[in-house]
Amino acid sequence: KLKSSQSRNSRVLIAGDLNFDIIDLLPRLPEEDEEIFITNRSMTLAGSAGIFAHAIGKLGGEAYFVGKIGDDEGGRALCAQLERVGVNTDGVIRVPGGMTAETHIYVDETEPGRRLMITLRGVFDDLDLRELDLASYRDKVDVLHLCSYFVLPKLQPEMSRIIRQAKDLGFKISFDANSGD
């Protein structure tokens, strides 16, 4: 567990995914072509990178988030959530006409482990960190945190180049290898 003095000294650049999880509780999962009714809904900030940035902000660390969202209501709401905990979102690219990604999760309330997940990829496919000017963060951060390369196809071939460049700039590297598939 981080001591508060440690978290206040953390300066982290987080690059990756930011989306909403929309979680619907169902009395059970439906059969094919059956209509059933949702008993409860919640919506939460998601995306491995988004969750990490939010946590760093809540701990009092200095966090900078880089990613892509649609220039839509969802994207604005996500950035506002990050900003409320002190995360700098100046590096977030807002895509005009783009849709912010979201995952709809349908949970069977009789068997909470049973669920269906359906993701609207939105602008996920457009995140390309060749647009990221790491050198501009040299005096602002100590750590580069990368994650979700399995969700962001343009990030995959860039990963080793980004890590090399970050090391050359003197950053420590934090890599969430949550490999999905």
Side-chain angles (χ1 to χ4, degrees):
K1 191 171 185 179
L2 284 176
K3 294 178 185 172
S4 63
S5 63
Q6 288 176 301
S7 61
R8 276 195 296 278
N9 294 326
S10 302
R11 301 181 324 154
V12 184
L13 173 62
I14 301 108
D17 56 332
L18 178 63
N19 62 281
F20 273 117
D21 277 354
I22 301 166
I23 304 164
D24 291 326
L25 191 59
L26 308 172
R28 62 181 172 68
L29 295 181
E31 300 295 326
E32 185 176 341
D33 295 327
E34 178 187 18
E35 179 179 10
I36 63 171
F37 299 99
I38 294 166
T39 58
N40 196 7
R41 169 173 279 173
S42 62
M43 194 159 138
T44 184
L45 180 142
S48 168
I51 292 167
F52 187 84
H54 192 264
I56 292 293
K58 282 184 82 168
L59 286 168
E62 192 172 335
Y64 296 81
F65 185 82
V66 175
K68 269 193 182 173
I69 56 171
D71 188 16
D72 55 13
E73 185 179 333
R76 287 186 289 279
L78 287 165
C79 281
Q81 282 189 37
L82 290 176
E83 291 162 1
R84 272 194 294 278
V85 296
V87 176
N88 181 307
T89 63
D90 291 346
V92 174
I93 299 166
R94 292 153 175 88
V95 179
M99 294 174 64
T100 299
E102 56 188 42
T103 297
H104 295 261
I105 304 169
Y106 302 96
V107 180
D108 182 331
E109 70 183 356
T110 62
E111 292 182 61
R114 273 191 80 208
R115 61 187 182 170
L116 298 172
M117 297 191 318
I118 302 168
T119 297
L120 165 69
R121 293 182 63 78
V123 296
F124 270 177
D125 292 339
D126 298 328
L127 180 60
D128 183 345
L129 290 182
R130 286 179 289 194
E131 301 162 335
L132 173 59
D133 178 14
L134 279 176
S136 68
Y137 291 93
R138 180 186 306 207
D139 297 326
K140 297 177 184 175
V141 302
D142 307 302
V143 178
L144 171 64
H145 179 77
L146 296 166
C147 52
S148 298
Y149 72 94
F150 65 95
V151 179
L152 306 167
K154 287 187 178 177
L155 181 58
Q156 295 169 9
E158 292 296 307
M159 192 62 70
S160 60
R161 180 194 61 78
I162 294 165
I163 290 171
R164 244 186 336 273
Q165 182 183 11
K167 284 177 130 182
D168 290 346
L169 290 167
F171 297 156
K172 294 176 183 164
I173 309 296
S174 168
F175 181 70
D176 179 351
N178 180 358
S179 60
D181 296 350

